[in-house]
């Protein structure tokens, strides 16, 4: 069980795009050889911005709600696990419904895999692989009380997509966490999509 | 207040499971010619089978009540009842054979996992194929006429071949369950070895869900083999005790079916339906992502998922530009979060943006920490 005193804090502003997190994620025992962290480039031509995405571990995970095989479980410590191997039928519902674009369906394996907060490590008191190797600490796994002395920003766990509100275990760092972060696609495509 | 968890049963699955169990009882009665050919020595197994069937049927019907499961179930039913989709049935049967019999998808996960699973699954299927018909009175053996050296097999009350004692066929018929037991024990040992060594498995496995079914399978197989050992090597000594032990372990296994990991045996065939659903969607061509235009979602799944989201009360996930969140590809969803975050930080990643300076210095000790 992951200690309730620990939190995972994401500070995309600090990401330098080194991909150390991607390389180390593949070392995790629960999905060995397959990195589950996503590292996206925002606009390669105009900006150096890169962003790491791990599972946010929603309080009421949509991936689990839409899973027809009832294969996705959230443990008592708030960690949403990858689909259970005996049950997952690789229907893609979770991949297509995750608000943050996290799960990956592996054809052939017929299974969904996703970040499970390196449960083999965090359940025995170690930090997740990505947070261990991140040189700029864009990915941070620390005790809640340690965070205040380390960052000017504060953790935000509330997100909005239109009228949909999502609360997560993991947090992103912002100056004003009282206001939910509105994930609005018009930021990428103001004119209304294709 | 009671410390026990509340145990609630849903009405509709309960009624359906009741009818399904009555249906099984009727087929048992028909196959055993009114119960005439039911072996009294196997009566305990028969009662446990009916209870286990009821439990499995209840859980299966309760599972179908979930909106997401019902979505696939409706589609599979539609696939089987619409004539133009019947052409796809051979493809579905092939997918089922690949996934249930060959189980190649497990081989892609790991060879050793496949070996363990195949031994357990095929061992169990072999054992079920023999024991259920025997317990239900559908299969029985008698002497052929007055010749005690030849055995006559009966299936559903009809003659189904005869064989002489001492032949390879007889040896196989009498020891097929021993073969199954050896397969199951070998598979369980491989599974135990993996679970003892693999750190990933160790962190997520639970005794009741992952180890208990393996222990029960080993117990059933071992006590079954001991029955043969008693007859062959011990002149039948302790046979009664061993038979009782074997019956107890089998009943425990049967009654655990609805609750534990082994329930996936009846869940798994849904995978063939999912494969077919995917293939049908792909023939229509993938819908592009509303933002980046890359191939994103199958049209049939897009329609069903929006309905499912509404059923699950996940309404209103529409962006200010009118795009539904389901129409964004996973990559654009992630980039939306990054964009929203950098906007919240006053455009920290826009090289031309004016970034407000902090009003007071930030005591950032990160670079000094490990």
């Amino acid at each position: 069980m992951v200690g309730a005193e620990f939190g995972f804090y994401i500070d995309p502003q600090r990401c330098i795009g080194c991909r150390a997190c991607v390389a180390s994620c593949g070392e995790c025992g629960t999905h060995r050889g397959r990195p589950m962290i996503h590292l996206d480039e925002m606009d390669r031509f105009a900006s150096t911005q890169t962003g790491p995405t791990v599972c946010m571990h929603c309080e009421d995970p949509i991936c689990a709600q839409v899973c027809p095989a009832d294969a996705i479980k959230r443990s008592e410590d708030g960690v949403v696990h990858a689909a259970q191997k005996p049950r997952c039928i690789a229907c893609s519902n979770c991949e297509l419904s995750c608000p943050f674009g996290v799960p990956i369906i592996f054809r052939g394996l017929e299974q969904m895999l996703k970040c499970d907060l390196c449960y083999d490590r965090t359940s025995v008191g170690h930090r997740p692989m990505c947070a261990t190797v991140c040189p700029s600490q864009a990915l941070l796994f620390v005790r809640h009380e340690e965070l205040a002395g380390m960052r000017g920003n504060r953790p935000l766990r509330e997100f909005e997509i239109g009228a949909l509100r999502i609360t997560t275990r993991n947090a992103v760092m912002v100056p004003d966490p009282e206001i939910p972060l509105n994930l609005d696609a018009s930021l990428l495509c103001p004119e209304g999509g294709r | 207040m009671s410390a026990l968890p509340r145990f609630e049963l849903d009405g509709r699955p309960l009624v359906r499971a009741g009818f399904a169990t009555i249906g099984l009882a009727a087929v048992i009665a028909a196959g055993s010619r009114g119960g005439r050919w039911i072996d009294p020595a196997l009566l305990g197994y028969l009662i446990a089978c009916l209870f286990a069937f009821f439990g499995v049927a209840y859980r299966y019907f309760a599972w179908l009540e979930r909106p997401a499961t019902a979505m696939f179930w409706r589609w599979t039913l539609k696939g089987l009842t619409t004539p133009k989709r019947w052409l796809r049935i051979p493809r579905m049967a092939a997918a089922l054979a690949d996934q249930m019999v060959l189980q190649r998808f497990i081989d892609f996960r790991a060879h050793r996992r496949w070996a363990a699973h195949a031994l357990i699954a095929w061992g169990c299927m072999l054992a079920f194929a023999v024991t259920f018909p025997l317990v239900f009175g559908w299969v029985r053996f008698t002497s052929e006429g007055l010749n005690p050296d030849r055995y006559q097999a009966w299936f559903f009350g009809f003659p189904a071949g005869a064989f002489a004692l001492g032949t390879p066929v007889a040896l196989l018929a009498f020891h097929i369950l021993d073969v199954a037991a050896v397969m199951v024990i070998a598979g369980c040992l491989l599974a135990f070895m993996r679970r003892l060594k693999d750190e990933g498995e160790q962190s997520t496995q639970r005794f009741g869900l992952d180890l208990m079914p393996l222990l029960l399978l080993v117990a059933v197989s071992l006590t079954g083999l001991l029955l043969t050992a008693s007859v062959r090597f011990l002149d039948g000594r302790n046979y009664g005790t061993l038979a009782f032990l074997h019956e107890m372990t089998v009943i425990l296994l049967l009654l655990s079916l609805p609750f534990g990991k082994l329930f996936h045996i009846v869940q798994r065939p849904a995978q063939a339906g999912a494969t077919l659903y995917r293939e049908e969607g792909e023939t229509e061509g993938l819908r592009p992502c509303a933002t980046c235009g890359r191939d994103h979602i199958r049209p049939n799944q897009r329609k069903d998922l929006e309905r499912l989201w509404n059923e699950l009360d996940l309404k209103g996930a529409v962006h200010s530009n009118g795009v539904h969140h389901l129409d964004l590809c996973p990559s654009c969803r992630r980039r939306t979060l990054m964009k929203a975050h950098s906007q919240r930080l006053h455009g920290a990643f826009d090289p031309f943006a004016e970034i407000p300076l902090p009003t007071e210095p930030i005591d950032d000790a990160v670079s000094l920490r490990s």
Side-chain angles (χ1 to χ4, degrees):
Chain A
M1 183 174 274
V2 182
E5 69 274 25
F6 287 101
F8 194 108
Y9 305 98
I10 304 157
D11 219 338
Q13 184 188 22
R14 287 171 167 254
C15 179
I16 56 171
C18 69
R19 295 192 173 269
C21 53
V22 178
S24 65
C25 184
E27 300 293 321
C28 175
T30 52
H31 49 82
R32 197 170 291 115
R34 299 182 183 93
M36 290 295 116
I37 191 167
H38 301 272
L39 194 90
D40 294 287
E41 289 161 345
M42 287 306 297
D43 185 347
R44 198 74 186 92
F45 176 75
S47 162
T48 56
Q49 185 183 0
T50 50
T53 307
V54 293
C55 177
M56 298 302 289
H57 299 282
C58 304
E59 279 189 1
D60 191 6
I62 296 178
C63 56
Q65 292 181 57
V66 300
C67 176
D70 198 13
I72 304 169
K73 299 290 178 191
R74 181 174 179 266
S75 50
E76 287 166 14
D77 46 18
V79 175
V80 182
H81 294 266
Q84 291 179 356
K85 291 186 190 80
R87 290 189 184 181
C88 181
I89 55 171
C91 67
S92 304
N93 271 9
C94 52
E95 188 184 37
L96 297 168
S97 295
C98 172
F100 303 102
V102 170
I104 307 171
I105 294 286
F106 284 85
R107 295 271 160 251
L109 303 186
E110 297 297 301
Q111 194 193 353
M112 176 276 266
L113 289 173
K114 64 180 264 302
C115 154
D116 55 7
L117 209 66
C118 283
Y119 209 69
D120 59 326
R121 293 174 56 81
T122 48
S123 59
V124 291
H126 297 302
R127 286 187 292 178
M129 291 301 277
C130 56
T132 308
V133 301
C134 181
S136 58
Q137 299 204 329
L139 303 162
L140 195 63
F141 186 78
V142 288
R143 288 186 174 80
H144 303 304
E145 66 269 16
E146 280 180 276
L147 184 72
M150 301 173 79
R151 292 285 196 272
N153 289 334
R154 286 176 293 147
L156 173 141
R157 294 188 172 82
E158 298 277 338
F159 301 88
E160 279 177 352
I161 300 166
L164 194 65
R165 178 74 71 100
I166 299 147
T167 309
T168 61
R169 185 191 201 278
N170 289 356
V172 292
M173 302 302 289
V174 294
D176 44 2
E178 301 79 21
I179 310 162
L181 192 61
N182 187 10
L183 309 182
D184 191 357
S186 65
L187 294 169
L188 292 178
C189 188
E191 65 275 13
R194 292 161 194 255
Chain B
M1 205 160 150
S2 168
L4 289 170
R6 256 182 95 186
F7 190 66
E8 287 178 4
L9 291 171
D10 291 331
R12 198 155 65 165
L14 203 64
V15 172
R16 287 177 175 176
F19 277 118
T21 311
I22 291 168
L24 175 68
V27 181
I28 291 173
S32 61
R33 299 291 165 107
R36 198 184 319 156
W37 297 115
I38 287 175
D39 187 344
L42 304 179
L43 207 58
Y45 292 102
L46 178 61
I47 294 167
C49 280
L50 286 171
F51 270 103
F53 182 82
F54 175 79
V56 168
Y58 173 78
R59 185 165 169 197
Y60 195 83
F61 287 122
W63 177 55
L64 294 186
E65 296 279 307
R66 298 180 78 243
T69 318
M71 173 189 127
F72 267 94
W73 183 248
R74 275 195 301 265
W75 187 87
T76 309
L77 271 185
K78 213 159 62 178
L80 293 174
T81 52
T82 314
K84 70 170 186 177
R85 290 197 172 109
W86 286 349
L87 287 173
R88 294 187 188 277
I89 289 178
R91 177 74 192 91
M92 191 170 175
L96 204 64
D98 181 32
Q99 288 152 4
M100 297 294 288
V101 182
L102 299 178
Q103 303 168 358
R104 284 190 306 162
F105 66 99
I106 303 177
D107 191 34
F108 290 131
R109 291 175 186 176
H111 299 312
R112 204 176 289 179
R113 177 187 284 273
W114 175 82
H117 193 273
L119 282 167
I120 296 172
W122 293 341
C124 286
M125 282 194 269
L126 192 61
F128 289 163
V130 173
T131 49
F132 283 131
L134 275 175
V135 168
F136 295 163
W138 294 347
V139 167
R140 66 193 169 96
F141 297 95
T142 56
S143 299
E144 194 185 45
L146 295 173
N147 182 0
D149 292 334
R150 280 186 69 79
Y151 258 44
Q152 172 71 52
W154 301 83
F155 184 68
F156 261 67
F158 300 104
F163 54 87
L165 291 178
T167 59
V169 178
L171 193 73
L172 192 67
F174 297 143
H175 293 288
I176 198 158
L177 286 179
D178 293 331
V179 175
V182 170
M183 287 170 74
V184 170
I185 291 173
C188 287
L189 285 179
L190 282 176
F192 273 126
M193 277 162 59
R194 195 172 49 78
R195 289 192 173 277
L196 284 174
K197 277 202 234 163
D198 191 308
E199 287 173 355
E201 294 289 356
Q202 282 175 357
S203 66
T204 48
Q205 71 189 4
R206 279 164 292 172
F207 181 79
L209 278 179
D210 297 302
L211 300 178
M212 194 55 155
L214 290 176
L215 289 172
L216 272 174
L217 285 171
V218 170
V220 168
S221 308
L222 213 56
T223 49
L225 282 179
L226 284 176
L227 286 174
T228 305
S230 166
V231 172
R232 305 260 319 168
F233 308 118
L234 302 171
D235 299 325
R237 276 199 289 275
N238 297 323
Y239 191 89
T241 313
L242 289 172
F244 176 75
L245 266 178
H246 183 61
E247 188 168 350
M248 286 301 108
T249 54
V250 171
I251 289 174
L252 264 178
L253 180 74
L254 285 172
L255 296 183
S256 75
L257 284 179
F259 305 101
K261 188 179 191 172
L262 297 176
F263 184 70
H264 79 272
I265 299 166
V266 290
Q267 273 183 319
R268 198 76 220 178
Q271 191 180 355
T275 307
L276 211 59
Y277 181 73
R278 191 167 62 229
E279 285 179 2
E280 176 156 328
E282 276 161 11
T283 56
E284 297 171 45
L286 295 175
R287 278 174 60 150
C289 167
T291 299
C292 67
R294 277 180 287 213
D295 283 350
H296 168 45
I297 192 167
R298 292 176 284 277
N300 56 350
Q301 199 160 9
R302 167 68 182 79
K303 204 171 96 189
D304 288 341
L305 271 179
E306 186 166 0
R307 191 164 73 167
L308 181 61
W309 274 43
N310 289 335
E311 275 183 58
L312 293 168
D313 211 18
L314 302 169
K315 293 171 189 155
V318 180
H319 297 269
S320 64
N321 57 3
V323 170
H324 195 284
H325 201 60
L326 285 169
D327 290 321
L328 288 190
C329 69
S331 167
C332 286
R333 292 177 196 184
R334 297 192 294 268
R335 293 192 310 125
T336 302
L337 171 62
M338 296 308 145
K339 204 79 179 172
H341 182 260
S342 64
Q343 193 192 47
R344 179 65 71 85
L345 299 179
H346 310 287
F349 289 98
D350 181 350
F352 306 108
E354 282 186 23
I355 304 166
L357 292 170
T359 48
E360 34 185 272
I362 297 168
D363 178 22
D364 190 345
V366 167
S367 56
L368 304 175
R369 301 171 83 105
S370 62

